[in-house]
Amino acid sequence: MRSHITLDPILKQQLRVIGKADLVLGIPSFNNVTTIAHVVRAAQAGLTKYFPGSRAVLVNSDGGSTDGTQEAVREASVGDSRSILASHPLFPVHRIVTPYHGIPGKGSALRTIFQAAQELEATACAVVDADLRSITPAWMDFLLGPVVHEQFDFVAPLYLRHKYDGTITNSIVYPMTRSLYGLRVRQPIGGDFGLSRKLVSHYLEQDVWDTDVARFGIDIWMSTTAIADGFKVCQAFMGAKIHDAKDPGLQLAQMLQQVMSAFFDLTLAREETWKTIRGSVPVPLFGMEHAVGLEPVKVDQARMTRSFQSGLRDLGAIWSLFLRPEVMRGLQTMGSEPASGFHIPMDLWVRTLHDFALAYREKTIGREHLLQSLTPIYLGQVASFMVQAREADATEAEALLEDLCLAFERLKPEFVDLWERPGRRP
Amino acid sequence: MINAMLAILEKVWHTFLGKVIFFTPRLMAALVVIAVGIALGLVIRKVSQRILHSGRFDTWVERMGVGLLLRRAGLSLSPGACLSATLFWVILACAAMLSLTAFELPILDRMATEFFLFLPRLAVAILIMGFGFLLAGFLARAALLAAVNAELPAPRVTSTVVRFLVIVLSSAMALEQVGVATAIVSTAFAITFGGLMLGLALAFGLGGRRAAQALLDRGLETKDESSRAVKHF
């Protein structure tokens, strides 16, 4: 087993007392006192309601919170469960609060949860974020049900979100993951997943727990590993997702840099898998899709357009080091477009991302600087999408994203061709 | 009297001949040393050009953001050719200094010794300058990216100032290393650097009050909006 960090002795003792479990629900946390009690209550109610005959353990893997998160988990009470439970549970849900060891980050927190699941020989494991405001007991059924009842290995979430939310997922991660690995997993970095025992063991065997995966990028790593290594993947419709800001201290450029470095590292590591894949196929979906009311989102599209145009003016010399001349020319034509009609053609956006991937691989400039220089173009793409989807409802906005995904798939052979000719220069 | 003059002339002639006999082989040796130096320099220039070309040195320098700076400094040669030419001239200078020792004159020997003692310090100074240029390029690009992503006004000015400061600092260190008017360099650097900082502080404090206010307002406005703005994840 590659995951060589041993479990905390107290945790080990707690697991020994519990013995075995059927289900493990993991909640990684760090200073989530305002939301975690609700997550624990919903999860515990869900485990009791939907899996009354199963032995379940809730593991909170905490990164040293100083705001009382651990106490909130210990004290969270479901209250009068008769209002939500149809059947009486056979086993109580054990609750464990433990610190994790190793590099600080969500990846290390999840490793502790996976190790606990392995120790308990759990059949299925689910992880949910501690910052969720919209989690309901039914989420336990959505995430664990396909694993327990249908023998799926990986359950990815499918949320209903505002058309302007999740823009990194919509503009980059979903279409690129889909075109590279051929599966239509709509939320590869959703943060809430259901996992089989086999997949948990597979994750723990990977030699990544001392890399950046341990700090950030665990979500895309889990999704990509499950897809690329041929595990049975499905999606579960979770309804709306409302959560706190991931890390208010992080700027957009830093967040984008973290996501893209994790994504491109996987692209490098998995090239033998994705190079031969063409097109994509849908994955089974559990749960009934339905419309829900979503929080309105305030957008400043003009400001995003200005960011793009300012980037074009000031970073053009950097971009021209690695963007193909035709891509560079394409971007330059938008230097003076008014915000109201601002539009980046889909093919141009796809080719731009492909050139960034190639530059990341070839280290044309320092990777940190490379990814930081993506922010203005990304904002331009978001602004362009907002113009296109201004009058669109959720279905029409989704259709626009589908067009983008198809553009990624159509241009994949060109990308593979460039990838196989390292040393190409603009 | 004529005999005395002839004796002196003969003595002068002998002295001259003696000097010619003394210097001619040394001159020849010195010329040979210089010729070998030129040949060696040309070979090394050619070889280094090829190595740098195959190692894509010019591309690397461009990527580090130094190429543009060299062009702005009026260098028409490519960075690789520039480095190769520098190597040639350093070898030629060494050969010239070495050739002086062939004359076995104490003053020339002392000059050559001082030159060769100076060489390591010159090499360190060149390294400092080279590293300074690279660091300036890296930090200037980092500042540019940070300023663009933070939507600060005039990102290129920020970048240029960062580049200028690092180059000034490394130049001062390099000059200090070669011992060129050490006191003057240190004092000039302190005055320039201090003056620049004071100037910037005064300019921002007096002339840029509105800009600073606008910047702070925008920062607060961003924080207020963040709770209900687009969530990128």
Coordinates of all heavy atoms in Angstrom, one line a residue, chain A residues 161 164-169 189 243 246 252-253 255 259 297-299 303-304 307 311 313-315 318 321 363-365 369 372-373 375-376 378-379 386 423 425, chain B residues 56 59-60 62-65 68 137-152 154-156 218 221-222 225-233:
Chain A
R161 N -27.4 24.2 -11.0 CA -26.7 25.4 -10.6 C -27.2 26.5 -11.5 O -27.6 26.3 -12.7 CB -25.2 25.3 -10.6 CG -24.7 24.1 -9.8 CD -23.2 24.2 -9.6 NE -22.8 25.3 -8.8 CZ -21.6 25.6 -8.5 NH1 -20.6 24.8 -8.9 NH2 -21.3 26.6 -7.7
Y164 N -24.8 31.0 -14.6 CA -23.5 31.7 -14.5 C -22.6 31.1 -13.4 O -21.5 31.7 -13.1 CB -23.7 33.2 -14.2 CG -24.5 33.9 -15.3 CD1 -25.2 35.0 -15.1 CD2 -24.3 33.5 -16.7 CE1 -25.9 35.7 -16.1 CE2 -25.0 34.1 -17.7 CZ -25.8 35.2 -17.4 OH -26.4 35.9 -18.4
D165 N -23.0 30.1 -12.7 CA -22.2 29.6 -11.6 C -21.3 28.4 -12.1 O -21.7 27.8 -13.1 CB -23.1 29.1 -10.4 CG -23.2 30.1 -9.3 OD1 -22.4 31.0 -9.4 OD2 -24.0 29.9 -8.4
G166 N -20.3 28.1 -11.4 CA -19.4 27.0 -11.7 C -18.8 27.2 -13.1 O -18.7 26.3 -13.9
T167 N -18.3 28.4 -13.3 CA -17.8 28.7 -14.6 C -16.5 28.0 -15.0 O -16.2 27.8 -16.2 CB -17.6 30.3 -14.8 OG1 -17.1 30.8 -13.5 CG2 -19.0 30.9 -15.0
I168 N -15.7 27.7 -14.0 CA -14.4 27.0 -14.3 C -14.8 25.6 -14.7 O -14.2 25.0 -15.7 CB -13.5 27.0 -13.1 CG1 -12.9 28.4 -12.8 CG2 -12.3 26.0 -13.3 CD1 -12.0 28.5 -11.6
T169 N -15.7 25.0 -14.1 CA -16.2 23.7 -14.5 C -16.8 23.7 -15.9 O -16.5 22.9 -16.7 CB -17.3 23.2 -13.5 OG1 -16.7 23.1 -12.2 CG2 -17.8 21.8 -13.8
I189 N -15.4 18.2 -10.6 CA -14.8 18.7 -9.4 C -15.9 19.2 -8.4 O -15.8 20.2 -7.7 CB -13.8 19.9 -9.7 CG1 -14.5 21.0 -10.6 CG2 -12.6 19.4 -10.3 CD1 -13.6 22.2 -10.8
H243 N -23.3 26.5 -1.4 CA -22.2 26.4 -0.5 C -21.4 27.7 -0.2 O -21.6 28.6 -1.0 CB -21.2 25.3 -1.0 CG -20.5 25.7 -2.2 ND1 -19.2 26.2 -2.2 CD2 -20.9 25.8 -3.5 CE1 -18.8 26.5 -3.5 NE2 -19.8 26.2 -4.3
K246 N -15.2 28.7 -1.4 CA -14.3 27.7 -1.1 C -13.2 28.2 -0.1 O -12.8 27.6 0.8 CB -13.6 27.2 -2.4 CG -14.5 26.3 -3.2 CD -14.7 24.9 -2.4 CE -15.8 24.1 -3.2 NZ -16.4 23.1 -2.3
L252 N -9.0 34.7 -7.6 CA -9.4 33.9 -8.8 C -8.2 33.3 -9.5 O -8.2 32.2 -9.8 CB -10.3 34.7 -9.8 CG -10.5 34.1 -11.1 CD1 -11.3 32.8 -10.9 CD2 -11.2 35.0 -12.1
A253 N -7.2 34.2 -9.7 CA -6.0 33.7 -10.4 C -5.3 32.5 -9.7 O -4.9 31.6 -10.3 CB -5.0 34.9 -10.5
M255 N -6.9 30.4 -7.6 CA -7.8 29.2 -7.7 C -7.7 28.6 -9.1 O -7.5 27.3 -9.2 CB -9.3 29.7 -7.5 CG -9.6 30.0 -6.1 SD -11.4 30.1 -5.9 CE -11.9 31.5 -6.9
V259 N -6.4 24.7 -10.0 CA -7.3 23.8 -10.8 C -6.5 23.3 -12.0 O -6.5 22.1 -12.3 CB -8.6 24.4 -11.1 CG1 -9.4 23.5 -12.1 CG2 -9.4 24.7 -9.9
V297 N -27.8 35.5 -9.4 CA -26.3 35.8 -9.4 C -26.1 37.1 -10.0 O -26.6 37.4 -11.1 CB -25.6 34.7 -10.2 CG1 -24.1 35.1 -10.4 CG2 -25.7 33.4 -9.5
K298 N -25.3 38.0 -9.3 CA -25.0 39.3 -9.9 C -23.7 39.2 -10.7 O -22.7 38.6 -10.2 CB -24.8 40.3 -8.7 CG -24.6 41.7 -9.2 CD -24.5 42.6 -8.0 CE -24.2 44.0 -8.4 NZ -24.2 44.9 -7.3
V299 N -23.8 39.6 -11.9 CA -22.6 39.5 -12.7 C -22.2 40.9 -13.2 O -23.0 41.8 -13.4 CB -22.8 38.6 -13.9 CG1 -23.1 37.2 -13.5 CG2 -23.9 39.1 -14.8
R303 N -17.0 44.3 -16.7 CA -15.7 44.3 -16.0 C -14.8 43.1 -16.5 O -13.6 43.2 -16.6 CB -15.9 44.2 -14.5 CG -14.7 44.3 -13.7 CD -15.1 44.5 -12.2 NE -13.9 44.2 -11.4 CZ -14.0 44.3 -10.0 NH1 -15.2 44.6 -9.5 NH2 -13.0 44.0 -9.3
M304 N -15.5 42.0 -16.7 CA -14.8 40.8 -17.2 C -14.2 41.1 -18.6 O -13.1 40.7 -18.9 CB -15.7 39.6 -17.2 CG -16.1 39.1 -15.8 SD -17.1 37.7 -15.9 CE -17.4 37.3 -14.2
S307 N -11.2 43.1 -18.3 CA -10.1 42.4 -17.8 C -9.4 41.6 -18.9 O -8.2 41.6 -19.0 CB -10.5 41.3 -16.8 OG -10.9 41.9 -15.6
G311 N -5.8 42.4 -20.3 CA -4.8 41.3 -20.5 C -4.2 41.3 -21.8 O -3.0 41.1 -22.0
R313 N -3.8 43.7 -23.9 CA -2.8 44.8 -24.0 C -1.5 44.6 -23.3 O -0.4 44.8 -23.8 CB -3.5 46.1 -23.5 CG -3.0 47.4 -24.0 CD -3.9 48.5 -23.6 NE -4.2 48.5 -22.1 CZ -5.5 48.3 -21.7 NH1 -6.5 48.1 -22.6 NH2 -5.8 48.3 -20.4
D314 N -1.6 44.0 -22.1 CA -0.4 43.9 -21.2 C 0.3 42.6 -21.3 O 1.5 42.5 -21.0 CB -0.8 44.3 -19.8 CG -1.3 45.7 -19.6 OD1 -0.6 46.6 -20.2 OD2 -2.3 45.9 -19.0
L315 N -0.5 41.5 -21.6 CA 0.1 40.2 -21.6 C 0.3 39.6 -23.0 O 0.7 38.5 -23.1 CB -0.7 39.2 -20.7 CG -1.0 39.6 -19.3 CD1 -1.8 38.6 -18.6 CD2 0.3 39.8 -18.5
I318 N 3.5 38.0 -23.7 CA 3.7 36.7 -23.0 C 3.0 35.6 -23.8 O 3.5 34.5 -24.1 CB 3.3 36.7 -21.6 CG1 4.2 37.7 -20.8 CG2 3.3 35.3 -20.9 CD1 3.8 37.9 -19.3
L321 N 4.3 34.0 -26.9 CA 5.4 33.0 -26.8 C 5.0 31.6 -27.0 O 5.7 30.7 -27.3 CB 6.1 33.1 -25.4 CG 6.9 34.4 -25.1 CD1 7.3 34.4 -23.6 CD2 8.1 34.5 -26.0
K363 N 6.8 23.4 -21.0 CA 7.4 24.4 -20.1 C 8.0 25.6 -20.9 O 9.1 26.1 -20.6 CB 8.5 23.8 -19.2 CG 8.0 22.7 -18.3 CD 9.2 22.2 -17.4 CE 8.7 21.0 -16.6 NZ 9.8 20.3 -15.9
T364 N 7.1 26.0 -21.8 CA 7.6 27.2 -22.7 C 7.9 28.4 -21.8 O 8.9 29.1 -22.1 CB 6.4 27.5 -23.7 OG1 6.0 26.3 -24.3 CG2 6.9 28.5 -24.7
I365 N 7.1 28.7 -20.8 CA 7.5 29.6 -19.8 C 7.2 28.9 -18.5 O 6.6 27.9 -18.4 CB 6.8 31.0 -19.9 CG1 5.3 30.8 -19.7 CG2 7.1 31.7 -21.2 CD1 4.5 32.2 -19.5
H369 N 3.7 31.1 -14.1 CA 3.4 32.3 -14.8 C 2.4 32.0 -16.0 O 1.5 32.8 -16.3 CB 4.7 32.9 -15.4 CG 5.5 33.6 -14.4 ND1 6.7 34.2 -14.6 CD2 5.3 33.8 -13.1 CE1 7.2 34.8 -13.5 NE2 6.3 34.5 -12.6
Q372 N -1.0 31.7 -14.6 CA -1.5 33.0 -14.1 C -2.0 33.9 -15.3 O -2.9 34.7 -15.2 CB -0.4 33.8 -13.3 CG -0.3 33.3 -11.9 CD 0.8 33.9 -11.2 OE1 1.5 34.8 -11.6 NE2 1.1 33.4 -10.0
S373 N -1.3 33.7 -16.4 CA -1.6 34.5 -17.6 C -2.9 34.0 -18.3 O -3.4 34.7 -19.2 CB -0.5 34.4 -18.6 OG -0.5 33.2 -19.4
T375 N -5.8 33.8 -16.6 CA -7.0 34.4 -16.0 C -7.7 35.4 -16.9 O -8.9 35.3 -17.0 CB -6.5 35.1 -14.7 OG1 -5.8 34.1 -13.9 CG2 -7.7 35.6 -13.9
P376 N -7.0 36.4 -17.5 CA -7.8 37.3 -18.3 C -8.6 36.7 -19.5 O -9.7 37.1 -19.8 CB -6.7 38.3 -18.9 CG -5.6 38.2 -17.9 CD -5.6 36.7 -17.5
Y378 N -9.7 33.6 -19.6 CA -10.8 32.9 -18.9 C -11.9 33.8 -18.6 O -13.1 33.5 -18.9 CB -10.3 32.2 -17.7 CG -11.4 31.8 -16.7 CD1 -12.3 30.7 -17.0 CD2 -11.6 32.6 -15.6 CE1 -13.3 30.4 -16.1 CE2 -12.6 32.2 -14.7 CZ -13.5 31.2 -15.0 OH -14.5 30.9 -14.1
L379 N -11.6 35.0 -18.1 CA -12.6 36.0 -17.8 C -13.3 36.4 -19.1 O -14.5 36.7 -19.1 CB -12.1 37.2 -17.1 CG -11.7 36.9 -15.6 CD1 -11.0 38.1 -15.0 CD2 -12.9 36.6 -14.8
M386 N -21.6 34.8 -21.0 CA -22.7 35.6 -20.4 C -23.5 36.4 -21.5 O -24.7 36.5 -21.4 CB -22.2 36.6 -19.4 CG -21.8 35.9 -18.1 SD -21.0 36.9 -17.0 CE -20.8 35.8 -15.6
G423 N 8.0 20.3 -29.2 CA 9.0 21.2 -29.7 C 8.4 22.1 -30.8 O 9.2 22.9 -31.4
R425 N 6.7 25.2 -32.3 CA 6.8 26.6 -31.8 C 5.8 27.4 -32.5 O 5.5 27.1 -33.7 CB 8.2 27.2 -32.0 CG 9.2 26.6 -31.1 CD 9.1 27.1 -29.7 NE 10.1 26.5 -28.8 CZ 9.9 25.4 -28.2 NH1 8.7 24.7 -28.3 NH2 10.8 24.9 -27.4
Chain B
R56 N 19.0 25.9 -27.7 CA 18.0 26.9 -27.8 C 18.1 28.0 -26.7 O 17.2 28.4 -26.1 CB 16.6 26.3 -27.6 CG 16.3 25.4 -28.8 CD 14.9 24.9 -28.7 NE 14.5 24.1 -29.9 CZ 13.5 23.2 -29.9 NH1 12.9 22.9 -28.8 NH2 13.3 22.6 -31.0
T59 N 16.0 31.2 -27.5 CA 14.6 31.0 -27.1 C 14.4 31.1 -25.6 O 13.5 31.8 -25.1 CB 14.1 29.6 -27.6 OG1 14.6 29.4 -28.9 CG2 12.6 29.5 -27.6
W60 N 15.3 30.5 -24.9 CA 15.2 30.5 -23.4 C 15.3 31.9 -22.9 O 14.6 32.3 -22.1 CB 16.4 29.6 -22.9 CG 16.3 29.5 -21.4 CD1 15.5 28.9 -20.6 CD2 17.3 30.2 -20.5 NE1 15.8 29.0 -19.3 CE2 16.9 29.8 -19.2 CE3 18.4 31.0 -20.7 CZ2 17.6 30.3 -18.0 CZ3 19.1 31.4 -19.5 CH2 18.7 31.1 -18.3
E62 N 14.6 34.6 -24.5 CA 13.4 35.3 -24.9 C 12.3 35.0 -23.9 O 11.6 35.9 -23.4 CB 12.9 34.9 -26.3 CG 13.7 35.5 -27.5 CD 13.5 37.0 -27.6 OE1 12.5 37.5 -27.1 OE2 14.4 37.6 -28.1
R63 N 12.2 33.7 -23.5 CA 11.2 33.3 -22.6 C 11.4 33.9 -21.2 O 10.4 34.2 -20.5 CB 11.2 31.8 -22.4 CG 10.6 31.1 -23.6 CD 10.7 29.6 -23.4 NE 10.5 28.9 -24.6 CZ 10.8 27.6 -24.8 NH1 11.4 26.9 -23.8 NH2 10.6 27.0 -25.9
M64 N 12.6 34.1 -20.9 CA 12.9 34.7 -19.6 C 12.7 36.2 -19.6 O 12.8 36.9 -18.6 CB 14.3 34.4 -19.1 CG 14.7 33.0 -18.9 SD 13.6 32.3 -17.6 CE 14.3 33.0 -16.1
G65 N 12.3 36.7 -20.8 CA 12.0 38.2 -20.9 C 13.2 39.1 -21.0 O 13.1 40.3 -20.8
L68 N 14.1 41.0 -25.0 CA 13.5 42.3 -25.4 C 14.4 43.4 -24.8 O 14.7 44.4 -25.4 CB 12.1 42.4 -24.8 CG 11.3 43.6 -25.1 CD1 11.1 43.7 -26.6 CD2 10.0 43.7 -24.4
G137 N 14.0 39.8 -15.2 CA 12.9 39.4 -16.2 C 11.9 38.6 -15.5 O 10.7 38.8 -15.7
F138 N 12.3 37.7 -14.6 CA 11.3 36.8 -13.9 C 10.4 37.7 -13.0 O 9.2 37.6 -13.0 CB 12.1 35.8 -13.0 CG 11.2 34.9 -12.2 CD1 10.6 33.8 -12.8 CD2 10.9 35.2 -10.9 CE1 9.8 33.0 -12.1 CE2 10.0 34.4 -10.2 CZ 9.5 33.2 -10.8
L139 N 11.0 38.6 -12.2 CA 10.2 39.4 -11.3 C 9.3 40.4 -12.0 O 8.2 40.6 -11.6 CB 11.1 40.1 -10.2 CG 11.8 39.1 -9.3 CD1 12.7 39.9 -8.3 CD2 10.8 38.3 -8.4
A140 N 9.8 40.9 -13.1 CA 9.0 41.9 -13.9 C 7.8 41.2 -14.4 O 6.7 41.7 -14.4 CB 9.9 42.5 -15.0
R141 N 8.0 39.9 -14.9 CA 6.8 39.2 -15.4 C 5.8 38.8 -14.3 O 4.6 39.0 -14.5 CB 7.3 37.9 -16.1 CG 6.2 37.2 -16.8 CD 6.7 35.9 -17.4 NE 7.4 36.1 -18.6 CZ 8.1 35.2 -19.2 NH1 8.3 34.0 -18.7 NH2 8.7 35.5 -20.4
A142 N 6.4 38.4 -13.2 CA 5.5 38.1 -12.0 C 4.7 39.3 -11.6 O 3.5 39.2 -11.3 CB 6.4 37.6 -10.9
A143 N 5.4 40.5 -11.6 CA 4.7 41.7 -11.2 C 3.6 42.1 -12.2 O 2.5 42.5 -11.8 CB 5.7 42.9 -11.0
L144 N 4.0 41.9 -13.5 CA 3.0 42.2 -14.5 C 1.8 41.4 -14.4 O 0.6 41.9 -14.4 CB 3.7 42.0 -15.9 CG 2.8 42.3 -17.1 CD1 2.5 43.7 -17.2 CD2 3.5 41.8 -18.4
L145 N 2.0 40.1 -14.2 CA 0.8 39.1 -14.1 C 0.0 39.4 -12.9 O -1.2 39.5 -12.9 CB 1.3 37.7 -14.0 CG 1.9 37.1 -15.4 CD1 2.7 35.9 -15.1 CD2 0.7 36.8 -16.3
A146 N 0.7 39.7 -11.8 CA 0.0 40.0 -10.5 C -0.9 41.3 -10.7 O -2.0 41.4 -10.3 CB 0.9 40.1 -9.4
A147 N -0.2 42.3 -11.3 CA -0.9 43.6 -11.5 C -2.1 43.4 -12.4 O -3.2 44.0 -12.2 CB 0.1 44.6 -12.0
V148 N -1.9 42.7 -13.5 CA -3.1 42.5 -14.5 C -4.2 41.8 -13.8 O -5.4 42.1 -13.9 CB -2.6 41.7 -15.7 CG1 -3.8 41.3 -16.6 CG2 -1.7 42.6 -16.6
N149 N -3.9 40.7 -13.1 CA -4.9 39.9 -12.5 C -5.6 40.6 -11.3 O -6.7 40.3 -11.0 CB -4.3 38.5 -12.0 CG -4.1 37.6 -13.2 OD1 -4.7 37.7 -14.2 ND2 -3.1 36.7 -13.0
A150 N -4.9 41.5 -10.7 CA -5.5 42.3 -9.6 C -6.2 43.5 -10.1 O -6.7 44.4 -9.4 CB -4.4 42.7 -8.6
E151 N -6.1 43.7 -11.5 CA -6.7 44.8 -12.2 C -6.2 46.2 -11.6 O -7.0 47.1 -11.4 CB -8.3 44.8 -12.0 CG -8.9 43.6 -12.7 CD -10.4 43.5 -12.5 OE1 -11.0 44.5 -12.6 OE2 -10.9 42.4 -12.3
L152 N -4.9 46.2 -11.4 CA -4.3 47.5 -10.9 C -4.0 48.3 -12.1 O -3.9 47.9 -13.3 CB -3.0 47.2 -10.2 CG -3.0 46.4 -8.9 CD1 -1.6 46.1 -8.4 CD2 -3.8 47.1 -7.9
A154 N -2.0 50.6 -14.8 CA -0.7 50.7 -15.4 C 0.2 49.5 -14.9 O 1.2 49.7 -14.3 CB 0.0 52.0 -15.0
P155 N -0.2 48.3 -15.3 CA 0.6 47.1 -14.9 C 2.0 47.1 -15.5 O 3.0 46.7 -14.9 CB -0.2 45.9 -15.5 CG -1.5 46.4 -15.8 CD -1.4 47.9 -16.1
R156 N 2.1 47.6 -16.7 CA 3.4 47.6 -17.4 C 4.4 48.6 -16.7 O 5.6 48.3 -16.7 CB 3.3 47.9 -18.9 CG 3.0 46.7 -19.7 CD 3.0 46.9 -21.1 NE 1.8 47.7 -21.5 CZ 1.4 47.9 -22.7 NH1 2.2 47.5 -23.7 NH2 0.3 48.6 -23.0
R218 N -12.3 50.4 -4.8 CA -12.6 49.3 -5.7 C -12.4 48.0 -4.9 O -13.1 47.0 -5.1 CB -11.7 49.4 -6.9 CG -12.4 48.8 -8.1 CD -11.7 49.0 -9.3 NE -10.3 48.6 -9.2 CZ -9.4 48.6 -10.2 NH1 -9.8 48.9 -11.4 NH2 -8.2 48.2 -10.0
E221 N -15.3 47.5 -2.7 CA -16.4 47.2 -3.5 C -16.4 45.7 -3.9 O -17.4 45.0 -3.9 CB -16.4 48.1 -4.8 CG -17.5 47.9 -5.7 CD -17.2 48.7 -7.0 OE1 -16.4 49.6 -7.0 OE2 -17.7 48.3 -8.1
T222 N -15.2 45.2 -4.3 CA -15.0 43.8 -4.7 C -15.4 42.9 -3.6 O -16.1 41.9 -3.8 CB -13.5 43.5 -5.1 OG1 -13.2 44.5 -6.0 CG2 -13.4 42.2 -5.7
E225 N -19.1 42.7 -3.1 CA -19.8 42.0 -4.1 C -19.6 40.5 -4.1 O -20.4 39.7 -4.6 CB -19.4 42.5 -5.5 CG -20.1 43.8 -5.9 CD -19.6 44.2 -7.3 OE1 -18.8 43.5 -7.9 OE2 -20.1 45.3 -7.7
S226 N -18.4 40.1 -3.5 CA -18.0 38.7 -3.7 C -19.0 37.7 -3.2 O -19.1 36.6 -3.7 CB -16.7 38.5 -3.0 OG -16.9 38.7 -1.6
S227 N -19.8 38.0 -2.2 CA -20.8 37.1 -1.6 C -21.9 36.7 -2.6 O -22.5 35.6 -2.5 CB -21.3 37.6 -0.3 OG -22.0 38.8 -0.6
R228 N -22.2 37.6 -3.5 CA -23.3 37.3 -4.4 C -22.9 37.3 -5.8 O -23.7 37.3 -6.7 CB -24.5 38.2 -4.1 CG -24.1 39.7 -4.3 CD -25.3 40.6 -3.9 NE -25.1 41.9 -4.2 CZ -24.4 42.8 -3.5 NH1 -23.8 42.4 -2.4 NH2 -24.3 44.0 -3.9
A229 N -21.6 37.4 -6.1 CA -21.1 37.4 -7.5 C -21.0 35.9 -8.0 O -21.3 35.0 -7.3 CB -19.8 38.1 -7.5
V230 N -20.5 35.8 -9.2 CA -20.3 34.5 -9.8 C -19.4 33.6 -9.0 O -18.4 34.1 -8.5 CB -19.7 34.7 -11.2 CG1 -19.3 33.4 -11.8 CG2 -20.6 35.4 -12.1
K231 N -19.8 32.4 -8.8 CA -18.9 31.4 -8.2 C -18.2 30.6 -9.3 O -18.9 29.9 -10.0 CB -19.7 30.5 -7.2 CG -20.1 31.1 -5.9 CD -20.9 30.2 -5.0 CE -21.1 30.9 -3.7 NZ -22.3 30.4 -3.0
H232 N -16.9 30.7 -9.3 CA -16.2 30.1 -10.4 C -16.2 28.6 -10.3 O -16.0 27.9 -11.3 CB -14.8 30.7 -10.5 CG -14.8 32.1 -10.9 ND1 -14.9 32.6 -12.2 CD2 -14.8 33.2 -10.1 CE1 -14.9 33.9 -12.2 NE2 -14.9 34.3 -11.0
F233 N -16.3 28.0 -9.1 CA -16.4 26.6 -8.9 C -17.8 26.1 -8.9 O -18.7 26.7 -8.3 CB -15.7 26.2 -7.6 CG -14.2 26.1 -7.7 CD1 -13.5 27.2 -7.3 CD2 -13.6 25.1 -8.3 CE1 -12.1 27.2 -7.4 CE2 -12.2 25.0 -8.4 CZ -11.5 26.1 -8.0

